[in-house]
Amino acid sequence: MATEAAGIDRPLLVDDFLQRRRYQLQLADAAADEHTLVCLPTGLGKTTVSLLVTAERLHQAGGKALFLAPTKPLVQQHADFYREALSVPDDEIVVFTGDVKPDDRAALWDDARIVIATPQVVENDLVGNRISLRDVAHLTFDECHRATGDYAYVYIAERYHTDAADPLVTGMSASPGGDTEEIETVCENLGLVNVEVMTEEDADVDEYTHDTDVQWEQVTLPDEVLDIRDALNEVITDRLEKLKQLGVTNTTNPDLSQKDLNKMRGQLKQMMDNDQSDGYKGMSTHAEVMKLRRATELVETQSVESVRRYFERQREAARSSGASKASQRMVADPKVREAMRKAESFDGLHPKFSKARILLAETLGINGGERAILFTESRDTAEALVEFLSASFDVRKFVGQGDKEGSDGMSQTQQQETLDEFKNGEFEVLVSTSVAEEGLDVPEVDLVCFYEPVPTAIRSIQRKGRTGRQAEGKVVVLMAEDTRDEAFFWISRRREKKMASQLAELKEATDDIEENVGDDGQAGLDAFGGGSGSEGGADAEAGLEESADAIDEDSDDEAADDDAGLTDFAAEAREGEDDESDESEASGEGEADDDDADDDGVVATAGVDDGVEVVVDQRELDSSIAKDLSTRDGLVTRLETLAVGDYVLSDRVAVERKSAADFVDSMLDGDRSMFEQIGELSRAYARPVMVVEGTNLYGQRDIEPNAIRGALASLAVDFDVSVLRTEGESDTTELLATIAKREQETRDREVSVHGEKTTKTRAEQQEYVVSAIADIGPVTARTLLEHFGTVEAVMTAPEDDLLEVDGVGPVTAERIREVVGSEYE
């Protein structure tokens, strides 16, 4: 067999490792010349294309290459492939995930030739000034359709085009977007000016693909399951009637569209902004509707076991301290309690379970297949399926890394071991949540079964890409009759057809699209800083598609969101929920928390010595402020885990930032009140600042405005804190940059994370000592000193005498005596 290394003289490639494929060479040659979007069907070697470009680039330009992939398993998989395919020492191909400590990453970066990383880690290291992209000669964005909104890819691309001496970007995806506009947005966000598309119809590609038979199987829900759903729908109708009375909806149909629910939420938010009490009541009722819809979704499309577990979580939430009224009302409603009892007493089998077992028996038994994958949205369902199917087949689960209530996640090592065992034929059925959909090199399988349809074209294509790579494969979609399953199927099918036709059109019209993204992309680059089966009858399809139209009215707005999944109908029901879905693991969301768990005290190492410095607490990375500050000319950001404050702007100025909602919440927080935080801040810095962000401070929750004014007055008068208001994150960014420049350039002050208080008067020192006792604060400290006269007298005062002081109650008096009189341990 001819090989890539033997057929073409390409440096850095291991001899005879890569199979020669003309379409890959063609794509790689194009991508080596310009910033390029490479569109290639799943399983046809997009990673090989990037590897060829990287090898060429490192040989010609030197420097290093950076490869970004959205999840840890993908990163490890790509690293293994690069180490096998390239004649680069293994220790020069390094992995950056949250499992590698930040100070280790900074050291590894300098010596590496190829870094393969999750984007959240690289984003954090750039914000923290630990690494520099100056010498990166090739940057690859895997699954680049994610480069929208505030996803880390967008920020990293901006920094790369600004910082790199000679940048070259390759974006790779099997499914770049739902329409041409979305594809152009991805190109603009990544600075791509060239688009290369290969479809399965291309002659060079066709010989490596095989037909995939897609069929759908309807199941009929038993009456007992429908009774549970109907009981819940009665409650939804009742709650919608209440919302109708508020004038935010004109329907009580429990099957109303998500668009209608979102519109309702917007109207209620507007009522809250106008301080209308009905807005708060309505929002709580709306939250209850969303929770109930989630329950009906589970019972219709997943299993009775899933809804049983959901109800149990809701009961626990309702019993917890600080439980929402929506949760409490829902679990107390007689109809909901009836539905709970029905779910708990149901001892039958969900018809999807039976159908899945039959399909596996046909594929693996009768037809002599070797492997099958069963995808589901719900981890609860995945675990129930593994238990059920294990009686007939050798089955393993594949879920995300996060632990859920009552369910342990899988470590990265466990995930890789499971995939290796599946590839080696050690078991025959993999039951996976959405974490295995995207990009993972799951071995060739004979059957891909969708436990439920997914309503986005991107995710549907990703799932089906697991079969049909080397031989004919089959995809089966399970659908519960007369449920949202059917609507989701037709939405997905319509979008897939649309995407396929758009990719074909994209291939035909690449010149025009390149002209559009070229013009816009060049403007963007200038702004960055430079750089170059059986489907049923036609009548049935028409009827079901018609029923989906209302749901899909503005579905194109969501088509690019490949993380939407089954919950396009009830996404907001998950707000604040401990849900069983593994969506976040598939998308990489939440990984940033893990990635920087060890960021304590890490000092920047990227070598920017000049400029104004802002030290950022790593917990502020959830906002856009740190990223925006890091892109400012003449301004350097550094990440640390700060003991007090969110931003340090000099040796005397530190800032605590709170949104308007956080400000009000912290007034009511019994564990760590805002005044304790500010007390610590004012003890460490001479000029403490509180930034309150947002324009609706007095419209948060049901709090008397004078109570909020009182808190603001106390901060300014009692704590000597400057309270500054900003309209939003961009306004806060401007304010922080202004203060930092004023302090460091105009005042010539340095930055110190430990602060530098000015010399206190004797009275201030006495107040400081007393206020530190049991965190009683400056106001009570002054009262105690005025009553007893000296610090010593305060320290030795018995509890009864302390109680005579105005403002000192039994709890405070007890705490003072406990701190002062207890033995030091």
Side-chain angles (χ1 to χ4, degrees):
M1 176 183 293
T3 66
E4 178 69 333
I8 299 177
D9 184 15
R10 297 235 174 179
L12 300 184
L13 295 182
V14 173
D15 291 344
D16 299 331
F17 181 79
L18 294 174
Q19 179 188 12
R20 179 185 179 87
R21 293 187 179 185
R22 184 180 300 175
Y23 68 87
Q24 290 177 336
L25 301 178
Q26 181 181 335
L27 291 170
D29 288 343
D33 293 332
E34 291 185 282
H35 306 304
T36 300
L37 169 62
V38 175
C39 299
L40 189 64
T42 299
L44 293 175
K46 294 182 298 296
T47 307
T48 297
V49 174
S50 174
L51 180 138
L52 293 172
V53 178
T54 291
E56 178 69 16
R57 189 72 167 163
L58 292 179
H59 175 68
Q60 294 291 341
K64 65 184 66 188
L66 175 60
F67 187 112
L68 299 175
T71 64
K72 291 178 183 177
L74 268 176
V75 165
Q76 190 58 54
Q77 178 178 292
H78 290 313
D80 292 342
F81 175 62
Y82 267 57
R83 286 168 179 155
E84 286 184 288
L86 294 175
S87 58
V88 174
D90 283 359
D91 60 357
E92 294 182 12
I93 302 176
V94 302
V95 166
F96 274 24
T97 69
D99 296 331
V100 184
K101 292 184 180 297
D103 47 352
D104 292 339
R105 296 199 300 261
L108 287 169
W109 177 269
D110 291 335
D111 298 328
R113 291 189 73 186
I114 299 172
V115 176
I116 302 176
T118 52
Q120 290 83 5
V121 164
V122 172
E123 178 183 63
N124 293 352
D125 285 348
L126 286 172
V127 172
N129 193 31
R130 299 186 191 110
I131 64 174
S132 169
L133 299 178
R134 177 174 177 77
D135 296 328
V136 174
H138 183 220
L139 173 53
T140 300
F141 293 95
D142 189 26
E143 309 297 350
C144 69
H145 51 266
R146 293 175 171 275
T148 59
D150 61 356
Y151 191 66
Y153 277 1
V154 180
Y155 168 76
I156 295 169
E158 179 181 354
R159 287 293 302 269
Y160 180 57
H161 285 291
T162 301
D163 299 347
D166 185 17
L168 179 67
V169 177
T170 302
M172 305 190 305
S173 180
S175 42
D179 57 34
T180 302
E181 184 177 345
E182 290 172 5
I183 294 168
E184 290 182 1
T185 297
V186 169
C187 290
E188 290 162 7
N189 287 343
L190 298 181
L192 305 175
V193 295
N194 180 44
V195 179
E196 296 290 332
V197 182
M198 290 284 185
T199 69
E200 294 182 355
E201 281 67 43
D202 286 298
D204 290 337
V205 177
D206 181 68
E207 63 180 294
Y208 299 101
T209 63
H210 300 273
D211 291 335
T212 297
D213 174 29
V214 180
Q215 66 186 60
W216 52 281
E217 294 280 350
Q218 281 190 317
V219 300
T220 302
L221 297 179
D223 290 341
E224 298 94 324
V225 175
L226 293 176
D227 287 345
I228 298 171
R229 180 194 66 182
D230 293 344
L232 295 172
N233 278 340
E234 284 187 43
V235 186
I236 294 175
T237 299
D238 175 75
R239 302 304 187 262
L240 288 174
E241 179 63 41
K242 293 180 180 179
L243 291 171
K244 185 177 180 181
Q245 292 171 9
L246 295 179
V248 296
T249 182
N250 57 8
T251 181
T252 59
N253 183 352
D255 293 326
L256 79 170
S257 71
Q258 184 63 40
K259 181 180 179 181
D260 289 335
L261 283 164
N262 291 342
K263 183 179 178 181
M264 253 187 269
R265 184 180 177 85
Q267 291 177 272
L268 291 167
K269 180 69 166 58
Q270 190 172 20
M271 292 170 67
M272 292 168 62
D273 291 343
N274 294 329
D275 290 335
Q276 295 176 250
S277 60
D278 283 347
Y280 295 94
K281 296 176 183 176
M283 191 64 83
S284 179
T285 303
H286 185 276
E288 195 177 355
V289 170
M290 299 305 294
K291 291 174 184 293
L292 289 163
R293 279 172 61 87
R294 176 59 177 159
T296 61
E297 176 188 319
L298 290 173
V299 76
E300 280 188 344
T301 70
Q302 296 297 308
S303 65
V304 176
E305 176 61 23
S306 293
V307 81
R308 265 201 297 261
R309 296 189 187 190
Y310 180 75
F311 281 149
E312 184 56 39
R313 282 191 287 271
Q314 292 302 314
R315 275 196 293 256
E316 290 299 321
R319 297 188 195 112
S320 65
S321 60
S324 69
K325 292 180 180 178
S327 293
Q328 293 173 337
R329 275 199 314 273
M330 186 183 80
V331 299
D333 188 280
K335 282 289 182 183
V336 174
R337 296 174 75 87
E338 177 189 344
M340 290 180 182
R341 286 193 295 270
K342 288 178 181 292
E344 287 165 358
S345 62
F346 179 75
D347 58 358
L349 193 63
H350 196 284
K352 285 189 180 182
F353 277 57
S354 302
K355 180 62 71 172
R357 182 168 58 186
I358 292 171
L359 288 168
L360 290 171
E362 290 175 349
T363 302
L364 303 176
I366 298 172
N367 297 329
E370 296 180 355
R371 283 185 293 260
I373 296 180
L374 179 55
F375 280 116
T376 176
E377 292 288 313
S378 164
R379 189 185 288 187
D380 284 345
T381 301
E383 292 177 343
L385 279 167
V386 169
E387 183 178 351
F388 169 69
L389 295 172
S390 291
S392 307
F393 309 96
D394 193 354
V395 187
R396 306 278 177 83
K397 73 174 182 179
F398 190 86
V399 300
Q401 296 181 32
D403 291 337
K404 310 285 183 180
E405 186 173 338
S407 173
D408 294 332
M410 295 175 66
S411 68
Q412 184 177 351
T413 300
Q414 290 173 321
Q415 289 177 335
Q416 191 60 53
E417 288 175 350
T418 300
L419 289 180
D420 290 342
E421 290 170 0
F422 191 43
K423 187 180 300 185
N424 294 333
E426 296 181 32
F427 64 96
E428 55 192 346
V429 180
L430 185 71
V431 178
S432 175
T433 55
S434 50
V435 70
E437 288 176 13
E438 188 171 62
L440 277 179
D441 187 18
V442 177
E444 180 75 14
V445 296
D446 303 290
L447 168 70
V448 171
C449 181
F450 289 40
Y451 187 82
E452 66 283 299
V454 286
T456 58
I458 287 174
R459 293 189 55 217
S460 181
I461 289 170
Q462 295 282 6
R463 282 188 176 186
K464 291 193 299 188
R466 302 300 123 213
T467 186
R469 295 182 180 183
Q470 297 165 14
E472 291 190 4
K474 182 168 72 172
V475 173
V476 177
V477 184
L478 301 183
M479 294 189 299
E481 186 179 8
D482 294 329
T483 70
R484 66 198 67 203
D485 268 358
E486 291 188 350
F488 280 175
F489 175 79
W490 294 114
I491 291 171
S492 174
R493 192 167 183 270
R494 181 184 303 154
R495 289 176 178 173
E496 283 182 51
K497 289 180 178 179
K498 185 176 180 181
M499 180 175 286
S501 65
Q502 285 169 341
L503 283 176
E505 293 170 8
L506 175 64
K507 184 174 178 63
E508 294 295 324
T510 51
D511 290 342
D512 293 337
I513 292 174
E514 286 170 1
E515 184 176 345
N516 290 338
V517 299
D519 292 341
D520 295 339
Q522 189 57 51
L525 294 180
D526 291 341
F528 288 152
S532 57
S534 65
E535 298 180 349
D539 291 341
E541 175 173 342
L544 288 168
E545 285 202 28
E546 183 178 354
S547 70
D549 282 342
I551 299 165
D552 199 30
E553 284 181 45
D554 63 342
S555 58
D556 286 343
D557 292 338
E558 299 167 356
D561 181 7
D562 49 300
D563 299 324
L566 183 62
T567 55
D568 275 0
F569 271 80
E572 294 179 40
R574 299 191 180 192
E575 292 181 5
E577 297 295 328
D578 183 11
D579 199 12
E580 72 282 351
S581 170
D582 263 23
E583 255 337 285
S584 62
E585 281 85 351
S587 66
E589 291 172 6
E591 185 176 13
D593 290 338
D594 295 330
D595 287 339
D596 285 288
D598 299 311
D599 273 16
D600 299 342
V602 176
V603 178
T605 60
V608 182
D609 297 323
D610 298 327
V612 173
E613 184 180 43
V614 175
V615 179
V616 182
D617 185 83
Q618 59 150 346
R619 288 158 291 198
E620 280 291 292
L621 289 172
D622 289 339
S623 78
S624 65
I625 295 171
K627 288 184 285 189
D628 290 345
L629 287 170
S630 72
T631 62
R632 298 295 182 92
D633 288 337
L635 197 149
V636 178
T637 50
R638 173 156 57 100
L639 279 181
E640 290 202 16
T641 300
L642 298 175
V644 294
D646 297 318
Y647 300 89
V648 177
L649 308 181
S650 74
D651 57 357
R652 65 174 185 167
V653 178
V655 177
E656 178 76 24
R657 180 185 75 95
K658 290 192 181 298
S659 68
D662 288 340
F663 183 87
V664 173
D665 288 344
S666 63
M667 290 172 56
L668 310 176
D669 185 355
D671 296 329
R672 178 174 166 78
S673 75
M674 173 176 57
F675 298 103
E676 291 178 0
Q677 292 177 306
I678 289 300
E680 294 175 4
L681 190 69
S682 63
R683 285 191 285 272
Y685 291 90
R687 297 288 186 269
V689 175
M690 164 74 82
V691 169
V692 181
E693 188 177 276
T695 58
N696 188 32
L697 179 60
Y698 297 104
Q700 301 297 322
R701 299 177 68 166
D702 195 11
I703 303 297
E704 170 62 39
N706 276 338
I708 298 174
R709 296 186 186 102
L712 294 171
S714 177
L715 291 172
V717 176
D718 298 330
F719 290 86
D720 197 22
V721 171
S722 299
V723 181
L724 306 178
R725 300 286 303 278
T726 62
E727 294 183 356
E729 289 186 355
S730 60
D731 192 16
T732 301
T733 303
E734 296 294 341
L735 178 64
L736 295 177
T738 299
I739 296 174
K741 289 178 181 178
R742 179 183 175 86
E743 282 291 285
Q744 296 175 46
E745 293 180 344
T746 306
R747 301 291 184 181
D748 197 26
R749 305 192 73 96
E750 297 180 351
V751 172
S752 171
V753 295
H754 304 294
E756 182 177 285
K757 291 285 284 189
T758 55
T759 303
K760 296 182 178 71
T761 65
R762 183 167 62 187
E764 288 175 333
Q765 293 179 55
Q766 291 170 324
E767 291 169 6
Y768 179 81
V769 171
V770 174
S771 67
I773 304 173
D775 295 323
I776 63 175
V779 177
T780 305
R782 291 186 197 122
T783 306
L784 285 164
L785 285 166
E786 288 169 359
H787 182 88
F788 290 105
T790 67
V791 173
E792 182 180 18
V794 174
M795 299 292 189
T796 58
E799 190 170 328
D800 289 344
D801 291 349
L802 291 170
L803 289 170
E804 295 176 5
V805 179
D806 188 27
V808 177
V811 174
T812 302
E814 183 180 351
R815 286 168 64 196
I816 292 172
R817 289 308 313 150
E818 182 182 0
V819 171
V820 173
S822 299
E823 282 191 26
Y824 175 68
E825 296 180 1

